[in-house]
Amino acid sequence: MKVGIIGANGYSGAELIRILKQHPEVELSFLASHSTSGTLITEQYPHLEGVSECRLEEINVDDILGRADLFFFATPSGVAKNHVHRFVDEEIPCIDLSGDHRLKDSRLYGKWYKYSSAPTSVLQKSTYGLPELFREDIKNATLIANPGCYPTATLIGLAPLLKNNLVHLNSIIIDGKSGVTGAGRKASMGTHYCEVNENVKAYKLGNHQHIPEMEQVIQTYTNSDATITFTPHLVPMSRGIMCTIYCDLAQSLSTKDALELYHEFYRKEYFVRIRQENQWPATKEVYSSNYCDLGIAVDERTNRITIVSVIDNVMKGASGQAVQNMNIIKGWNEQTGLKFTPVYP
């Protein structure tokens, strides 16, 4: 199957190339990028020498439409919404790695992303692409809204509790920490080496764009309103996300009980790994892989549960999950092209 990547010059685009070049069922038909069109992908990423020699093309929908059977949009937020509807109208599957099609309420998108939204008719056709929660919906989807990195780690961490009504929804607190690739490749003062090195800082307290995404999914999953507290931090590493999630339990539960619940919930999920009692996952242990690793602890004194969830933000938090969604849409084995052993140390 021929696939195209729009926004191939960013970190998620480069990661898609790495995955898809060894995927047995696909052929990369073209790469597009508005800001670096006309250059070879190897000029942007010399590590792709001998892997891909494609020249980056301008984003021209009329020229692109017939050249691939599926498209990945690895563009910054505010770009995909201007183009995706053309592909959806032609019933050509699209997987959008940006946030443009995650929020069903166009007013929320405008408030949190500061752009005008995609047409409501297109938003209603989008399917939230978190396979561990919405696999059946993904199978028949034409437009996949690939989840954000923080929501992926958080929602996988919370899902067994949400499904069984075991937490007070308004007690959910998420402490998130991300590597610098989460901010994209475009340089800024906040990601300057001297600002990031030997430093940890919180940012976007109370106004991070992933907050309404997480609340929307929690509400969809539980049929109840939820208001969460989320504090993201930037840490001095290239890849990785750790979300430490705190919730008040709705009933008494031991750590052993919680671990049994999680093992049962995720027993068929290849990409979710659960640590034994008193063991905690680290970002290095999922580096460059599509795994999400979880550690669980219940404080019986406070009746509060803590979940530690780690992913590679460029893989399970972006490109790896996008390919996982492609595999589901096409009816291929979900693990195809994604059985990477984490790189360690």
Side-chain angles (χ1 to χ4, degrees):
M1 183 183 74
K2 291 184 177 181
V3 300
I5 303 173
I6 299 172
N9 62 327
Y11 290 135
S12 295
E15 193 77 335
L16 280 169
I17 295 170
R18 180 175 78 94
I19 300 168
L20 295 173
K21 288 298 289 187
Q22 53 82 54
H23 193 292
E25 303 291 346
V26 304
E27 172 192 344
L28 268 176
S29 62
F30 77 94
L31 306 176
S33 164
H34 173 71
S35 61
T36 56
S37 61
T39 64
L40 293 170
I41 189 63
T42 50
E43 294 179 56
Q44 305 301 318
Y45 292 104
H47 76 285
L48 293 176
E49 189 74 42
V51 177
S52 176
E53 306 297 334
C54 288
R55 189 173 296 276
L56 293 162
E57 302 181 33
E58 185 59 64
I59 303 172
N60 186 318
V61 176
D62 290 329
D63 292 340
I64 289 170
L65 271 174
R67 295 176 56 188
D69 306 299
L70 181 144
F71 293 85
F72 293 96
F73 279 80
T75 51
S77 293
V79 176
K81 68 184 180 65
N82 298 320
H83 304 293
V84 161
H85 65 279
R86 293 282 306 279
F87 298 86
V88 172
D89 289 345
E90 298 292 331
E91 296 188 354
I92 300 172
C94 292
I95 299 174
D96 179 18
L97 281 72
S98 78
D100 285 3
H101 298 92
R102 295 174 190 157
L103 300 178
K104 294 294 188 179
D105 187 335
S106 60
R107 295 169 299 178
L108 282 178
Y109 180 85
K111 175 183 177 180
W112 292 86
Y113 283 86
K114 312 304 181 186
Y115 299 109
S116 60
S117 78
T120 300
S121 59
V122 178
L123 293 177
Q124 296 309 312
K125 293 178 182 177
S126 70
T127 296
Y128 193 71
L130 188 55
E132 287 76 13
L133 274 64
F134 302 110
R135 182 173 286 106
E136 293 305 311
D137 295 331
I138 294 167
K139 287 179 180 179
N140 299 310
T142 300
L143 172 57
I144 296 292
N146 214 59
C149 46
Y150 284 124
T152 294
T154 297
L155 295 167
I156 291 176
L158 282 172
L161 301 173
L162 299 176
K163 190 68 173 178
N164 291 280
N165 300 311
L166 287 172
V167 294
H168 295 295
L169 298 181
N170 289 335
S171 74
I172 298 170
I173 298 173
I174 303 134
D175 179 306
K177 297 178 177 66
S178 175
V180 185
T181 49
R185 201 181 191 199
K186 186 177 180 180
S188 69
M189 182 61 70
T191 57
H192 191 288
Y193 176 81
C194 294
E195 301 289 329
V196 174
N197 185 48
E198 298 186 64
N199 194 20
V200 177
K201 56 184 177 182
Y203 66 98
K204 289 190 176 181
L205 273 72
N207 64 359
H208 195 283
Q209 66 273 18
H210 287 166
I211 291 173
E213 179 182 341
M214 289 187 275
E215 291 180 344
Q216 175 182 271
V217 175
I218 292 170
Q219 289 163 3
T220 299
Y221 209 57
T222 63
N223 293 314
S224 300
D225 290 340
T227 304
I228 64 171
T229 298
F230 172 54
T231 302
H233 303 76
L234 192 65
V235 297
M237 61 186 186
S238 297
R239 291 171 175 251
I241 275 183
M242 175 181 284
C243 285
T244 306
I245 308 157
Y246 308 93
C247 314
D248 291 339
L249 288 166
Q251 64 183 63
S252 296
L253 203 67
S254 68
T255 296
K256 181 180 178 182
D257 293 335
L259 285 169
E260 289 177 356
L261 173 74
Y262 274 74
H263 278 292
E264 175 59 26
F265 190 90
Y266 287 123
R267 62 189 173 85
K268 295 182 179 179
E269 298 295 345
Y270 177 83
F271 292 117
V272 179
R273 306 187 300 186
I274 301 164
R275 293 288 187 273
Q276 296 178 11
E277 188 169 354
N278 296 320
Q279 293 185 4
W280 314 106
T283 57
K284 200 79 167 180
E285 293 161 2
V286 295
Y287 195 94
S288 196
S289 80
N290 202 51
Y291 290 114
C292 176
D293 286 7
L294 302 174
I296 316 293
V298 174
D299 184 343
E300 296 184 37
R301 182 180 64 88
T302 60
N303 203 36
R304 188 172 293 127
I305 190 168
T306 301
I307 308 105
V308 179
S309 178
V310 298
I311 61 171
D312 182 317
N313 59 295
V314 192
M315 279 291 291
K316 183 59 173 170
S319 302
Q321 186 149 253
V323 173
Q324 188 178 354
N325 279 314
M326 177 188 71
N327 289 339
I328 295 171
I329 290 172
K330 300 306 296 182
W332 299 329
N333 187 308
E334 207 164 309
Q335 304 164 26
T336 306
L338 291 170
K339 295 181 75 171
F340 294 105
T341 299
V343 174
Y344 198 95

